[in-house]
Amino acid sequence: MKNFEFASPQTEAEAVGLLQDHGGRTAVLAGGTDLVGLLQADLVAPERVVDVRQIQSMSGVRREADGLWVGALTTLDDVLASPMLKPYLSLVQVADAHHAIQIQSSGTLGGDLCHLPNCWYYRNGYGLLAMKDGESLVETGDNRYHAILGNSGPAKFVNASRFAPALIAWGAKVRIIGPAPDQVEIVPLEYFYISPKSANQGNTILKPGQLISHIWLPAIEPTHVSATYEVLQMEGLDWPLATASVTLDVEGGIVRAARVVLGHVAPTPWVSLEAASLLRNQMVTEDLANAVGAAAVSKATPLSNNEYKVQIAKTAVKRAVLKAVGQLEGGL
Ligand SMILES: Cc1cc2nc3c(=O)[nH]c(=O)nc-3n(C[C@H](O)[C@H](O)[C@H](O)COP(=O)(O)OP(=O)(O)OC[C@H]3O[C@@H](n4cnc5c(N)ncnc54)[C@H](O)[C@@H]3O)c2cc1C
């Protein structure tokens, strides 16, 4: 690990100022469950680490007329305990599925959203594009956990965030602060992620000196239902092979609006418009859920070792749809 300065600001403005120095060669520390490992492995080598955990305004959940402002420091345990977040079932299901008390008490929503990919080539120092001597290590190597969608460009990793699919299905936005003092942007989370095209690009729109301070969730209506279905190899702490989150607006048993978002299948969370359009103005049945799953993966282009993920992603979508309307019990 390289030496770095350590700063612990009390306010968002102080944090932005501290992140701007050293030409933006700085890093945000939240729960630290991933960043500490990245620092130890020299995969991230900032000149200053800015620990944002003392910033009160970035904690807690606040209700406003049109929705909720959720602090980026909200931990997974806070998600499980918050009466205001409880109706957003698809989010609570993600927090609950972590099955690791240390991570649930320390890991934050902001840290989850900005979690760097778990691609083993990236984690062994080959960069996000995993290139060696001009060749993609993913294409020729072990790509069993890599992307099956959105993988025609140089990025083949899968986005690591577990909460992003559910948040995007709810139409969440992120409040980004910096790099200039008082600079604030509110961006739909759907547009926060990018699939890098060159080695000097990251996997989000965050520029040096910026951080997420809050996540905005729209107010929930009585007709809204949601669910997340994650496929994991282990019962305990694990990274999903594929996930699906759906949010539906159901009136009189008919789906009026739908959002379907897959996770761990592409370099960004994958919004499936094809799947959502099949649900609109329909009553959910198992046959329809099957067709929605098939539509979600209809454009999949698996790599040499990950064809199996297509079926898993399809099933995750089908089960998320059925789970959202309370039809998952038994027989699946
Ligand atoms: C040994 C170990 C194994 C794990 N395995 C799994 C697993 O199998 N499955 C799983 O789901 N989770 C796993 N995790 C947990 C995962 O790291 C956390 O769930 C969470 O995603 C990270 O949150 P954090 O607050 O600790 O982030 P940090 O480690 O503090 O930060 C993560 C990244 O986000 C950036 N960041 C943090 N907050 C912000 C912000 N507000 N704005 C901008 N950037 C920010 C950091 O700079 C860093 O790059 C594991 C953790 C550990 C320690």
Side-chain angles (χ1 to χ4, degrees), residues 63-82:
R63 194 188 296 280
E64 285 190 359
D66 61 346
L68 300 180
W69 282 106
V70 184
L73 289 175
T74 300
T75 64
L76 278 53
D77 273 349
D78 297 335
V79 173
L80 291 171
S82 165

Side-chain angles (χ1 to χ4, degrees), residues 28 30-35 98 103 108 112 114-115 162 212 238-239:
V28 178
T33 61
D34 194 45
L35 186 72
H98 273 67
I103 300 303
T108 65
D112 172 84
C114 299
H115 200 288
R162 286 179 73 170
I212 297 179
D238 196 5
W239 293 104

Side-chain angles (χ1 to χ4, degrees), residues 27-36 38 44 52 58 72-73 76 98 103-104 106-116 118 160-163 192 206 210-213 232 234 236-240 264:
V28 178
L29 174 76
T33 61
D34 194 45
L35 186 72
V36 171
L38 292 166
V44 173
V52 293
M58 283 174 57
L73 289 175
L76 278 53
H98 273 67
I103 300 303
Q104 287 179 205
S106 315
T108 65
L109 283 184
D112 172 84
L113 293 180
C114 299
H115 200 288
L116 284 158
N118 291 311
S161 172
R162 286 179 73 170
F163 284 93
F192 176 71
L206 280 186
Q210 288 189 315
L211 76 154
I212 297 179
S213 68
L232 297 132
M234 293 193 295
L237 186 63
D238 196 5
W239 293 104
H264 290 81

Side-chain angles (χ1 to χ4, degrees), residues 121-264:
Y121 297 109
Y122 169 68
R123 297 276 164 171
N124 279 290
Y126 291 100
L128 286 177
L129 302 184
M131 301 294 284
K132 191 178 177 198
D133 303 329
E135 304 242 320
S136 163
L137 292 170
V138 181
E139 270 180 38
T140 52
D142 190 342
N143 50 38
R144 76 184 96 157
Y145 299 128
H146 288 78
I148 54 167
L149 283 157
N151 56 6
S152 59
K156 317 280 183 202
F157 60 82
V158 296
N159 183 274
S161 172
R162 286 179 73 170
F163 284 93
L167 286 167
I168 292 171
W170 276 109
K173 298 179 183 178
V174 279
R175 180 176 182 267
I176 298 172
I177 55 174
D182 301 328
Q183 188 175 337
V184 176
E185 277 174 76
I186 296 175
V187 179
L189 184 59
E190 185 176 345
Y191 304 126
F192 176 71
Y193 295 101
I194 50 178
S195 181
K197 302 276 183 291
S198 62
N200 57 5
Q201 270 187 309
N203 68 328
T204 71
I205 59 168
L206 280 186
K207 296 191 275 286
Q210 288 189 315
L211 76 154
I212 297 179
S213 68
H214 294 83
I215 298 134
W216 179 83
L217 272 170
I220 193 162
E221 303 292 336
T223 51
H224 284 155
V225 294
S226 70
T228 294
Y229 194 95
E230 296 187 312
V231 181
L232 297 132
Q233 277 174 312
M234 293 193 295
E235 283 280 327
L237 186 63
D238 196 5
W239 293 104
L241 296 170
T243 76
S245 293
V246 299
T247 299
L248 308 176
D249 189 356
V250 185
E251 272 182 87
I254 304 293
V255 177
R256 296 297 174 205
R259 300 265 292 165
V260 179
V261 187
L262 288 82
H264 290 81

